[in-house]
Amino acid sequence: MRILVIPDIHGRTGWVPVVNNFLAGAQAADRVVFLGDYNDSFTVPDAVMLDNFIDVLLLKQQEPERVVLLLGNHCVPYLLLPRFQCSGFRPTLAPALHILFKHHRHLFQVAYQAGPYLFTHAGVSEMWLKENGLAIRVLCEMPATVDNLPAVLNKLLTTEEGQRRLWQVSGYNGGRDRVDGPLWVRPAHLRRGLLPGIIQVVGHTPLPGISWDVKEATQTGVVFTDCHDRQPTEYLTLELPG
């Protein structure tokens, strides 16, 4: 099984030939995982950004099993308009994006897992899980464990309180919460609270290149993939057995 990871595109179209080439030679078990943040850019025009997002939606509809669309912190404000907002928000596109996200809500999820790899937009820190442990158990009727973490995160998206927990923003990112949720946590805090037995694959924080911080012996760590500000042609492809 191969997995092609597409980090935050923010209106950029460079993913199109990369994904098309991958899918042309892909098997049924192979996956393309988008890590969210399809919109919000300080340089890409509205029309280009909107057309690009529609192309993402069409791709998912054409390849529903092989394409996974995750939500990022620049997606939720449009999906749940007007509850949340962050930098780069486009008021001019908000009505159209809200309709598209709302109508195609079933195409998106917060988390996806394949083998030891957990895919989210920013990452799941141990600190966030501890802070929200009781609430998660109540909202999802089960504790968050290594085996069921994607299901728990995706279920949180179905309630207003769960959405608030996912959106938590600490002072480090300009918010007022004690910890950062899976849409906001940054590398410094994620590294301090890694989940044992899980290799997290995240975007969200621009870096000079793809960065691995993984202990293979324990299958614990994180891979940071959001490098397209500086390395627009660098994409992560994972090879999993089976």
Side-chain angles (χ1 to χ4, degrees):
M1 177 183 186
R2 294 186 305 149
I3 300 178
L4 172 66
V5 180
I6 308 297
D8 317 31
I9 60 178
H10 288 296
R12 293 179 288 242
T13 60
W15 63 271
V16 176
V18 176
V19 170
N20 287 342
N21 289 339
F22 178 86
L23 289 175
Q27 303 299 313
D30 296 337
R31 296 288 182 271
V32 178
V33 180
F34 287 79
L35 298 180
D37 282 10
Y38 311 94
N39 302 290
D40 289 356
S41 164
F42 294 106
T43 58
V44 179
D46 281 6
V48 174
M49 192 177 302
L50 184 60
D51 286 346
N52 192 37
F53 183 53
I54 291 173
D55 286 342
V56 171
L57 296 175
L58 290 173
L59 176 68
K60 173 64 175 176
Q61 291 174 324
Q62 293 163 2
E63 295 281 359
E65 299 301 322
R66 295 200 294 178
V67 173
V68 177
L69 301 183
L70 301 185
L71 292 168
N73 61 309
H74 287 274
C75 303
V76 172
Y78 298 109
L79 173 64
L80 302 178
L81 191 75
R83 289 181 58 201
F84 305 109
Q85 201 168 117
C86 61
S87 64
F89 184 81
R90 292 277 182 102
T92 51
L93 279 181
L97 290 177
H98 175 60
I99 291 172
L100 286 170
F101 270 110
K102 187 175 180 180
H103 183 71
H104 298 93
R105 183 171 181 157
H106 62 288
L107 301 182
F108 294 91
Q109 56 199 82
V110 176
Y112 171 74
Q113 187 159 358
Y117 293 97
L118 174 68
F119 302 83
T120 62
H121 176 64
V124 182
S125 73
E126 190 176 43
M127 293 176 288
W128 178 79
L129 283 177
K130 288 181 178 178
E131 180 77 13
N132 292 277
L134 178 60
I136 288 173
R137 188 183 291 266
V138 171
L139 291 168
C140 300
E141 300 175 344
M142 53 184 169
T145 66
V146 171
D147 295 331
N148 70 2
L149 192 50
V152 166
L153 296 174
N154 291 327
K155 188 167 184 180
L156 286 175
L157 187 64
T158 64
T159 67
E160 286 193 9
E161 179 58 23
Q163 293 159 5
R164 190 186 71 78
R165 301 277 174 172
L166 291 170
W167 182 262
Q168 284 180 322
V169 188
S170 76
Y172 188 82
N173 282 304
R176 297 183 178 181
D177 295 300
R178 287 169 53 86
V179 296
D180 290 298
L183 300 171
W184 279 100
V185 66
R186 298 293 180 180
H189 291 158
L190 185 58
R191 284 191 175 104
R192 283 163 45 193
L194 290 173
L195 306 179
I198 291 180
I199 300 173
Q200 300 198 50
V201 180
V202 304
H204 184 52
T205 300
L207 295 173
I210 293 173
S211 175
W212 284 76
D213 186 1
V214 177
K215 294 181 179 179
E216 295 292 345
T218 59
Q219 295 286 275
T220 299
V222 59
V223 186
F224 300 99
T225 68
D226 186 11
C227 63
H228 286 180
D229 284 346
R230 302 187 191 181
Q231 301 291 340
T233 61
E234 187 172 352
Y235 291 86
L236 174 67
T237 301
L238 299 170
E239 300 276 352
L240 281 71

